[in-house]
Amino acid sequence: MKQQLLTTTYVLPKPTKSSSVTRTDIQWMRALAVGLVLFYHLWPNRVSGGFVGVDIFLVISGFLITTNLLNKPPRHLRDVAAFWGRRVRRLLPVAFTVIIVTLIMVVLFAPMTRWMDNAWAGIASALYIENWDLAAKAVDYLGAAQAPTAFQHYWSLSVEEQFYLLWPLLILGSWLLVRQKSLNFRAGAGVVIGAVVAGSFVYCVYLSAVNPAAAYFVTPTRMWELGAGGFLAVIYPQVQKLLRGRAVITVALVGVGTLMMAWSGLFINVAGFPGWIASVPIVGAMVVIGAGPVNGRFFFDRVLGWRGIQHIGDISYSIYLWHWPFIVLSPWVVGHRLNGWEKLALIAVVIAVSSLSKALIEDRFRGSRPLGVPLRRTWIFLVTGMLVTSLVAASVMVYTQVAGHPNEKITLPVGNISDDEIPEPVECIGAVMLLDPWCETENPHGEELLMTPLQAAEDKSISYADDCKWSSYTPQKFPTCRYGAKSDDAPRIALMGNSHADPYLNPLIDMAQEHGWSVRTYLAQLCFPSLVTLSYPGQKAMNGCRDYTTRAISDMKKNGTDVVILSVQSDAREVVGVNSGGQYQAKFDIFADLLGQLLDADMTVIVIRDVPFPPDNVTDCVDAHLDDLSACDGPRAGRIVKDPLYDAAVGLEDPRVFTVDFTDAICDDTTCFDVVGGVIVYFNQGHLTKSFASTLRPYLEPVILEALR
């Protein structure tokens, strides 16, 4: 009996003939997966769950790789090294090519404001850590709000490569364990893989609830999807035995699995994903693969074995690599957002380029040629490829830093607003251009641009560097920052709101230093001061904004705050339990109650109306139209946003409530401008640059002085 167990352990199954043959069902699943991703990126509103194509890919990869490892398990580290070498030769040549070509395209077609982010993402992609880089940026509001890079899709490839790095070691460990314990290798591997899948799934559900932004990208929340395919590989022979001769059941399973994947692609929402809902496309993919190839004239594989579908599946890896850079960069090439016909043309171009890429790059490096003998050539290629692509990206970063940051600094106006009694005109820079009667307004953009778009993109309030904002992603943290005078008898001013309030922090600090005020911040990201629950993916975050507001009011009372300056982007979140048509009134009531509480605490309140909201990233637009800044301007009526906080403050008609509206600092009677008086107004789509906010000081300062009296 003991000899039989040892035989089961050491005599491992040989690869079957079918294992070396391309499976028709897996090829059409690849075509479905890449099609879902492609259509989601082009028509996200019509294929709302198309991103699940990535999850289908992960199941397929886990199944195929684990099948290979089970049929020929690594028994030594050199076997693991040989496995890694095959993965390098299969995946990295075309991946490195796409990175370098995309970087060239970025420099040729994208505005310089996009170069730095793309270059950094290129390095992260070349090193296969893009998923972790995106996870870190996703928990930063501004990082999440920034335009996507042309390498964002490399996150899933990074997850796969990290899986390929760990998985053969796991199988090797399983083999060594069962050899010592005289156990069945496949059963032992199944136990180990099952434990990994269970642990990863539990962590995925947990993190998707408490930190969905990071959960989408990090490897531990995705390992179970690859592991699910791996577990299927373990039980696949037994599943096939059960289904042998049961054609009707097999076809029904394929139909059910296909419907699960299709439903997921059409209807699943990205909010809270992956989470438990990811199990729907995962199980669907497992069911189809587990059912095996369905043979027969009218069965799925005969229909879906059409040459065109099989070709798409065959080039699906190249399609995935090439499609996203084309989608991201093509609007810069044509000068506008793509219309329907242009999107169809883009699909044709991607398929053509991917076909060439498959034939000229992928196929040439398959198997052991030309790098595999000896194996060290593969490792030399790996290191060289990572080094070259990283150096190309680093060169772009260095050039961007030098070209986008000239030595000239902006001289900003300070002091009070001019009036008719002052004979000398003021310097018409920034907001002064439109607000001061002495300034000529024939060219509201100013005579010259006083800052580069790249400088503007980095021109943010000190609150970001000092980490002064509460974040819904870390709801246990309640940061405040203090600036200005430290004495107990100094007038105390609080700045409260979300990211649309903190542009006023720098000019407020300058005023505080001059007048001897004490300034304390109560700022939040993706939130607004509210004493009711707001909509967030996760209960802690839902309660967090309310708790933060309560603690902020308590802290202001404790510190004897004299004046509270409030400004918010009110559509940052919705009120729970209120339909879309009732959101404005609900927020109006919330803000009226908030103002009442502040007034009851004997505080004077200054409410600054939310600024006009441009439709796109302003620095990108300005960089692309330096010769015609008016191309970035827009109609005033289309950019003015409703502000229930400002309306509630006006409606109170209380002398202790002051209101300030800076709309006329950015817009004239008909048009809103992205550049005013030589200063770029926003550093992204809707946040004022520190420099432009500083030019508002002459108009904010008198209001604060009056409120303090």
Side-chain angles (χ1 to χ4, degrees):
M1 182 65 181
K2 183 177 181 180
Q3 180 63 38
Q4 290 178 340
L5 288 173
L6 289 173
T7 301
T8 304
T9 303
Y10 290 106
V11 180
L12 297 162
K14 297 180 179 180
T16 62
K17 183 178 180 180
S18 61
S19 67
S20 62
V21 178
T22 301
R23 282 181 51 171
T24 303
D25 57 332
I26 288 181
Q27 288 300 85
W28 70 251
M29 285 180 65
R30 283 173 167 155
L32 172 65
V34 79
L36 286 173
V37 173
L38 182 58
F39 278 85
Y40 169 70
H41 286 153
L42 288 171
W43 291 281
N45 294 328
R46 298 184 181 182
V47 191
S48 64
F51 53 86
V52 303
V54 171
D55 304 82
I56 297 171
F57 271 128
L58 296 181
V59 175
I60 294 172
S61 295
F63 174 78
L64 294 177
I65 291 302
T66 308
T67 298
N68 177 276
L69 291 170
L70 291 175
N71 287 341
K72 190 177 180 180
R75 305 188 187 190
H76 309 281
L77 286 178
R78 62 177 176 270
D79 296 333
V80 174
F83 169 86
W84 288 336
R86 290 192 297 273
R87 292 294 87 200
V88 168
R89 296 190 296 274
R90 169 68 183 91
L91 301 174
L92 269 60
V94 65
F96 289 152
T97 302
V98 172
I99 292 173
I100 293 175
V101 172
T102 300
L103 285 169
I104 295 172
M105 293 170 62
V106 166
V107 173
L108 290 177
F109 300 113
M112 187 179 289
T113 50
R114 305 300 312 134
W115 293 7
M116 187 69 75
D117 287 345
N118 276 278
W120 177 257
I123 294 175
S125 298
L127 300 178
Y128 284 90
I129 56 171
E130 174 67 356
N131 64 316
W132 292 100
D133 184 55
L134 285 172
K137 291 176 179 176
V139 300
D140 168 48
Y141 169 52
L142 293 181
Q146 188 61 273
T149 70
F151 300 102
Q152 190 159 298
H153 62 314
Y154 269 75
W155 76 266
S156 63
L157 304 179
S158 299
V159 170
E160 281 201 53
E161 290 302 323
Q162 292 159 29
F163 169 79
Y164 295 148
L165 187 65
L166 297 173
W167 209 245
L169 295 174
L170 185 72
I171 300 299
L172 172 62
S174 301
W175 188 84
L176 294 174
L177 178 65
V178 299
R179 185 183 66 172
Q180 293 178 351
K181 300 295 184 181
S182 300
L183 300 174
N184 179 275
F185 167 65
R186 186 175 287 269
V191 171
V192 174
I193 292 172
V196 172
V197 171
S200 174
F201 178 75
V202 170
Y203 182 69
C204 173
V205 173
Y206 163 76
L207 196 63
S208 297
V210 301
N211 193 349
Y216 193 89
F217 297 111
V218 296
T219 305
T221 62
R222 296 289 186 165
M223 187 65 75
W224 72 273
E225 301 183 2
L226 289 144
F231 187 79
L232 176 61
V234 173
I235 64 174
Y236 183 73
Q238 286 70 34
V239 172
Q240 287 296 289
K241 286 181 181 179
L242 289 174
L243 294 177
R244 188 174 300 156
R246 295 178 171 86
V248 174
I249 296 177
T250 301
V251 173
L253 287 174
V254 174
V256 170
T258 303
L259 287 175
M260 292 175 71
M261 291 186 291
W263 178 87
S264 301
L266 292 174
F267 299 110
I268 282 182
N269 190 281
V270 73
F273 198 88
W276 68 267
I277 193 65
S279 61
V280 178
I282 297 300
V283 172
M286 292 177 66
V287 169
V288 173
I289 297 173
V294 183
N295 300 313
R297 184 176 301 275
F298 301 107
F299 289 167
F300 286 91
D301 289 351
R302 178 60 64 91
V303 175
L304 296 174
W306 178 58
R307 186 173 180 179
I309 294 177
Q310 292 295 297
H311 178 66
I312 296 300
D314 197 35
I315 65 172
S316 58
Y317 178 56
S318 280
I319 289 178
Y320 185 80
L321 284 172
W322 287 110
H323 87 284
W324 184 244
F326 276 81
I327 290 174
V328 171
L329 296 173
S330 56
W332 297 113
V333 176
V334 301
H336 59 263
R337 294 180 180 178
L338 300 185
N339 59 38
W341 290 108
E342 289 168 336
K343 291 179 180 179
L344 293 175
L346 183 145
I347 292 175
V349 171
V350 168
I351 291 175
V353 172
S354 300
S355 299
L356 290 173
S357 175
K358 172 69 162 53
L360 299 178
I361 304 175
E362 286 189 64
D363 291 345
R364 289 182 180 271
F365 286 87
R366 280 183 180 275
S368 61
R369 60 183 192 277
L371 299 173
V373 183
L375 186 59
R376 65 173 178 270
R377 295 178 183 173
T378 298
W379 305 123
I380 293 173
F381 168 79
L382 170 66
V383 174
T384 303
M386 287 184 169
L387 183 61
V388 170
T389 50
S390 297
L391 285 176
V392 171
S395 299
V396 174
M397 296 176 71
V398 171
Y399 178 80
T400 305
Q401 193 71 16
V402 173
H405 294 81
N407 294 327
E408 296 83 357
K409 294 185 178 180
I410 305 172
T411 302
L412 298 174
V414 296
N416 291 324
I417 185 172
S418 66
D419 54 43
D420 294 337
E421 297 179 359
I422 302 178
E424 298 84 14
V426 298
E427 195 170 8
C428 299
I429 294 177
V432 181
M433 173 65 79
L434 292 179
L435 294 180
D436 196 285
W438 285 99
C439 293
E440 297 289 339
T441 56
E442 292 182 3
N443 181 14
H445 303 120
E447 295 299 322
E448 61 177 336
L449 199 59
L450 300 176
M451 61 199 313
T452 68
L454 189 60
Q455 285 175 312
E458 300 168 354
D459 195 30
K460 304 168 186 175
S461 157
I462 195 174
S463 67
Y464 293 100
D466 290 352
D467 192 22
C468 298
K469 291 183 292 298
W470 172 83
S471 170
S472 60
Y473 304 119
T474 53
Q476 72 280 2
K477 186 179 179 182
F478 294 88
T480 60
C481 293
R482 184 178 178 183
Y483 304 94
K486 305 297 183 182
S487 61
D488 294 337
D489 58 346
R492 301 186 180 187
I493 298 174
L495 180 63
M496 186 180 191
N498 52 23
S499 59
H500 282 218
D502 61 24
Y504 306 107
L505 178 57
N506 277 80
L508 188 56
I509 292 173
D510 292 339
M511 288 182 268
Q513 292 173 343
E514 181 177 324
H515 296 287
W517 304 337
S518 174
V519 174
R520 192 180 294 266
T521 63
Y522 302 92
L523 301 170
Q525 293 177 347
L526 285 176
C527 174
F528 56 80
S530 171
L531 297 173
V532 302
T533 303
L534 301 180
S535 176
Y536 284 95
Q539 192 61 45
K540 286 186 177 180
M542 289 177 68
N543 296 332
C545 187
R546 180 191 61 201
D547 295 343
Y548 182 78
T549 304
T550 301
R551 291 181 63 164
I553 294 174
S554 175
D555 194 63
M556 284 189 283
K557 291 179 179 178
K558 177 182 176 182
N559 286 283
T561 301
D562 300 300
V563 174
V564 181
I565 301 175
L566 272 167
S567 188
V568 302
Q569 178 191 13
S570 62
D571 60 354
R573 287 293 171 186
E574 293 190 344
V575 181
V576 172
V578 179
N579 59 38
S580 57
Q583 285 293 322
Y584 171 83
Q585 186 59 49
K587 292 173 183 177
F588 182 98
D589 295 338
I590 289 171
F591 291 133
D593 181 44
L594 174 68
L595 293 171
Q597 290 207 31
L598 297 175
L599 294 174
D600 290 343
D602 201 27
M603 302 179 201
T604 303
V605 181
I606 299 173
V607 173
I608 304 176
R609 195 188 200 284
D610 196 12
V611 294
F613 197 79
D616 297 296
N617 187 295
V618 167
T619 53
D620 289 352
C621 183
V622 172
D623 198 10
H625 299 92
L626 291 172
D627 56 342
D628 182 17
L629 296 176
S630 63
C632 300
D633 301 337
R636 177 180 176 123
R639 296 194 179 187
I640 303 299
V641 295
K642 289 185 177 181
D643 190 341
L645 169 61
Y646 183 82
D647 295 342
V650 172
L652 283 178
E653 297 183 350
D654 191 303
R656 297 170 296 168
V657 177
F658 296 77
T659 57
V660 181
D661 186 352
F662 287 134
T663 301
D664 290 340
I666 302 171
C667 313
D668 62 17
D669 292 340
T670 60
T671 305
C672 289
F673 310 100
D674 288 348
V675 176
V676 176
V679 181
I680 299 176
V681 178
Y682 307 90
F683 66 76
N684 59 6
Q685 188 174 5
H687 298 85
L688 298 180
T689 60
K690 178 177 65 177
S691 295
F692 186 82
S694 294
T695 67
L696 294 169
R697 174 183 169 178
Y699 311 95
L700 179 60
E701 189 169 10
V703 181
I704 299 176
L705 290 170
E706 180 64 24
L708 285 171
R709 297 191 189 101

